[in-house]
Amino acid sequence: MSRPPVLGELVVLDDVGRPRRGRAYPAAGGTSALLLPAVLLLGSLLLWPVLRTLHASVTTDGRWVGTTHFRDAFATPGAGAAVGRTLLWAVLVPAVVTTLGYLLATASRRTAEGGLVRLILVLPIALPLVVTAVTFRLLLDPAPTRGLVARVLGAVWPGPVDTVPLPLGPGLVTVSLMAAFVWAWVGLAVVMFRAALEAVPPSLADAVRAFGGNRRDVLWDAQWRPLLLRTVAVVFALVAIGANRSFDLILTMAPGSVRDEAAVLAVRVWQTSGGTTTGPGAALGVIWLAAVAAGMSVAALFIRQAWPPPRPADPPEVDPTHPPSRRLRLVTAGAAIVWLVPLGVLVATSLHAPVDAAAHGWWSTPPSLDSYASVLTDPDLWRSLLFTLLLSTGVTVAVLGVALLAAYPLAWLTGPPAQLTGVFLTAAVVVPVQMIAGPVNEVLGAVYSSGTTHGLALVHVALGVPFAVLVLRNAFADLPAEQVRAARLGGRHWWGTLRELARHNRSAVVALGVLQFVGVWNDLVVGLLFNAAETAPLGMFLYGQARHFVANSGVLAAGSVLASILPVLLVVAARRHLVTGLVSRGIR
């Protein structure tokens, strides 16, 4: 009676030992077929365009010119300052977000209002950067009759009114842009640090104290070294990737008169080459890619295994530490109020008639729904919403399908092949789209897709696949052996096993789906570079309204509120999956 289960168990254990091709693992031909969609997309729309840009940066009409294009690029006025601002965005902004995220996560632990504070801080993550730009431009309007900050500064400033500093003036525009980005991204850092703090076993702190450790030793040896240092690296890397794509924010929030004073390499490359391939634009793109890759390599040194470690089967230990002090709780409550002010300004402006919003502050005139009536009767908005919904849905389904197929065979790699795959996928994630816009348009033109809807969708899919494959590959590889064994028993073929493994990694799949959908929904730069003439993604629609900012401020605020409803609902509903799916057994 007991012999068949024993023999079956021996066979199964052998099947889930060292990675090998078993009855549930695709053969060589099947592996090639699974990887083919991802290889074609990444090779044609990422790898070849990068190589083409590298070639264009050192050649002219096929003739080697060395560093000529680099010298010409730096010789243009403002290029050096743009490089410096890019470095600030790549280093200072992630550092500020990481520090604030850790402090707010620590201060909001084990408090009655902690959940509400974290929810408020998370809301800006879901907003399109175009909407964030609109929100802060309304908040920082230099006219005291319209801008809340200008009105407050005018009331408390000791000098003459004409000496009041302008947040969107040449001297402070970069600081204001960075502040808007920090406002939008701190919530991500808070929820990730909160998850890390909850995963730290309290027994580690007891062990450090037992050996005579003081408070500093407990912080370093019981929190930072085992877990939080890696969390810092993950948060820093994710925020650096986001800061690398701050193009939408700068283009919409910085007034045209000071855009050059706020420009980073993303804007300079776009201004230099647009959607074409030019020598100076390619040179700036290569410098940009090298800087981003170097920063990501440093962060990757601290991300050497899945974070947090797999949860133990035993019940979690009770954390004996006391809740934060009253002072820290007041700080978190104050932070939540500050984070609500920009959203309040956006909503209040949208609740005024277009003429009143353009001429007066939201506090000066009675509320009205005229701006919503104006934008809701605009057929262009409905066409844009429908197109963006279909585009986001289609791209999300395609990215998940391609990523699941590619992640399954890649999860079984070990040693140098696995490390090289991870390096390639990480590099593909951080490739700036402005850098490769020209070569990508050349590829799309070769297959008659340039300037078409399916060409735009292909670019979105190619940009989303690397991160999705990276997360799913690591999630599959980190599954416990028991779940892999059950998946192999439950599926007669590799596709049955893949389906079971995807079910076990539901959080990762849901997180990637939500992020991909929200990313396409919120996009501006890809639509700006590859948009078809007959379509207008939502980001392009809002950007077009923002070109006449003051006159359209009421209608623009109403459109921004409407554009933010769906991504906010998705992120709030899936916020637990976002942390669990992307961080736990996700990023290595």
Side-chain angles (χ1 to χ4, degrees):
M1 294 293 293
S2 61
R3 184 175 179 80
V6 172
L7 291 177
E9 184 68 9
L10 290 174
V11 173
V12 172
L13 285 174
D14 180 69
D15 191 40
V16 296
R18 292 180 57 81
R20 66 184 70 183
R21 287 187 173 85
R23 60 182 176 82
Y25 190 86
T31 299
S32 301
L34 293 175
L35 293 174
L36 184 60
V39 170
L40 288 177
L41 281 169
L42 299 184
S44 60
L45 294 178
L46 282 180
L47 180 59
W48 187 88
V50 168
L51 297 177
R52 174 74 175 89
T53 302
L54 291 172
H55 181 263
S57 69
V58 293
T59 61
T60 298
D61 297 328
R63 179 174 51 87
W64 176 267
V65 295
T67 60
T68 300
H69 294 315
F70 291 88
R71 293 196 301 269
D72 292 344
F74 275 100
T76 58
V83 173
R85 284 189 289 269
T86 302
L87 293 176
L88 281 178
W89 275 93
V91 177
L92 179 61
V93 172
V96 172
V97 171
T98 303
T99 303
L100 281 178
Y102 173 74
L103 294 176
L104 291 174
T106 304
S108 61
R109 293 182 68 198
R110 297 180 305 281
T111 62
E113 67 278 5
L116 179 60
V117 169
R118 289 190 298 276
L119 178 61
I120 292 173
L121 297 178
V122 165
L123 289 179
I125 299 176
L127 299 181
L129 279 178
V130 175
V131 173
T132 300
V134 170
T135 301
F136 271 76
R137 194 163 172 181
L138 290 171
L139 180 68
L140 303 177
D141 193 307
T145 56
R146 295 190 305 267
L148 178 62
V149 171
R151 185 177 181 85
V152 172
L153 287 177
V156 301
W157 189 254
V161 176
D162 57 356
T163 63
V164 175
L166 300 177
L168 294 180
L172 294 177
V173 62
T174 297
V175 176
S176 300
L177 288 165
M178 291 181 176
F181 187 89
V182 169
W183 175 82
W185 278 74
V186 158
L188 175 67
V190 170
V191 295
M192 292 181 70
F193 276 115
R194 172 59 188 264
L197 291 168
E198 294 297 329
V200 175
S203 57
L204 289 178
D206 296 336
V208 174
R209 295 189 189 97
F211 283 92
N214 54 27
R215 181 176 299 180
R216 187 180 62 180
D217 296 326
V218 170
L219 177 64
W220 177 250
D221 293 324
Q223 291 187 358
W224 282 94
R225 288 182 63 184
L227 191 56
L228 291 184
L229 184 60
R230 190 176 300 113
T231 309
V232 168
V234 172
V235 172
F236 192 96
L238 291 177
V239 177
I241 292 174
N244 184 44
R245 299 173 179 174
S246 58
F247 176 87
D248 301 9
L249 183 68
I250 296 173
L251 199 64
T252 308
M253 181 175 165
S257 58
V258 297
R259 187 169 295 163
D260 289 341
E261 284 76 11
V264 294
L265 282 177
V267 178
R268 295 288 296 189
V269 171
W270 174 69
Q271 292 173 333
T272 302
S273 58
T276 62
T277 304
T278 65
L284 287 175
V286 170
I287 295 171
W288 185 12
L289 178 61
V292 172
M296 290 298 297
S297 299
V298 173
L301 294 176
F302 299 96
I303 311 174
R304 298 182 180 179
Q305 64 185 34
W307 177 96
R311 294 182 178 179
D314 299 332
E317 303 175 29
V318 178
D319 193 342
T321 56
H322 299 289
S325 64
R326 180 179 177 84
R327 180 180 300 177
L328 286 179
R329 296 176 66 177
L330 290 175
V331 168
T332 57
I337 295 173
V338 170
W339 251 250
L340 282 176
V341 169
L343 292 176
V345 170
L346 178 68
V347 175
T349 304
S350 71
L351 292 173
H352 285 77
V355 175
D356 292 337
H360 309 286
W362 50 267
W363 58 85
S364 304
T365 56
S368 168
L369 295 177
D370 290 351
S371 290
Y372 282 99
S374 177
V375 72
L376 288 174
T377 55
D378 187 350
D380 290 338
L381 171 68
W382 291 106
R383 282 195 295 267
S384 178
L385 283 171
L386 179 60
F387 173 74
T388 307
L389 178 63
L390 295 176
L391 178 67
S392 302
T393 303
V395 169
T396 300
V397 171
V399 167
L400 289 179
V402 172
L404 283 168
L405 294 178
Y408 178 63
L410 293 178
W412 302 93
L413 294 178
T414 57
Q419 295 171 355
L420 290 175
T421 302
V423 170
F424 173 77
L425 292 173
T426 303
V429 169
V430 300
V431 170
V433 65
Q434 294 93 328
M435 170 195 173
I436 59 173
V440 168
N441 274 320
E442 294 174 7
V443 174
L444 295 177
V447 294
Y448 305 103
S449 298
S450 182
T452 64
T453 300
H454 58 273
L456 175 64
L458 278 175
V459 176
H460 274 298
V461 173
L463 293 174
V465 162
F467 184 70
V469 173
L470 183 66
V471 172
L472 289 175
R473 180 203 69 156
N474 295 338
F476 285 170
D478 288 335
L479 279 175
E482 294 79 8
Q483 291 184 352
V484 178
R485 186 182 305 123
R488 288 186 168 186
L489 285 174
R492 297 181 57 185
H493 303 285
W494 62 263
W495 53 84
T497 304
L498 174 59
R499 184 174 59 251
E500 288 298 312
L501 294 179
R503 185 175 63 83
H504 290 311
N505 282 292
R506 183 179 61 180
S507 289
V509 175
V510 171
L512 286 172
V514 169
L515 285 183
Q516 186 61 53
F517 184 95
V518 171
V520 178
W521 181 277
N522 293 347
D523 171 73
L524 170 62
V525 61
V526 177
L528 188 64
L529 293 172
F530 306 101
N531 179 46
E534 71 275 8
T535 59
L538 195 54
M540 289 287 294
F541 175 82
L542 295 176
Y543 175 65
Q545 294 284 333
R547 291 180 178 179
H548 304 284
F549 192 87
V550 175
N552 290 337
S553 57
V555 176
L556 183 57
S560 298
V561 171
L562 295 175
S564 303
I565 292 175
L566 181 57
V568 167
L569 290 177
L570 287 175
V571 169
V572 170
R575 64 188 185 277
R576 297 185 184 277
H577 289 290
L578 291 177
V579 176
T580 305
L582 294 185
V583 182
S584 177
R585 299 188 302 184
I587 296 177
R588 278 195 296 183

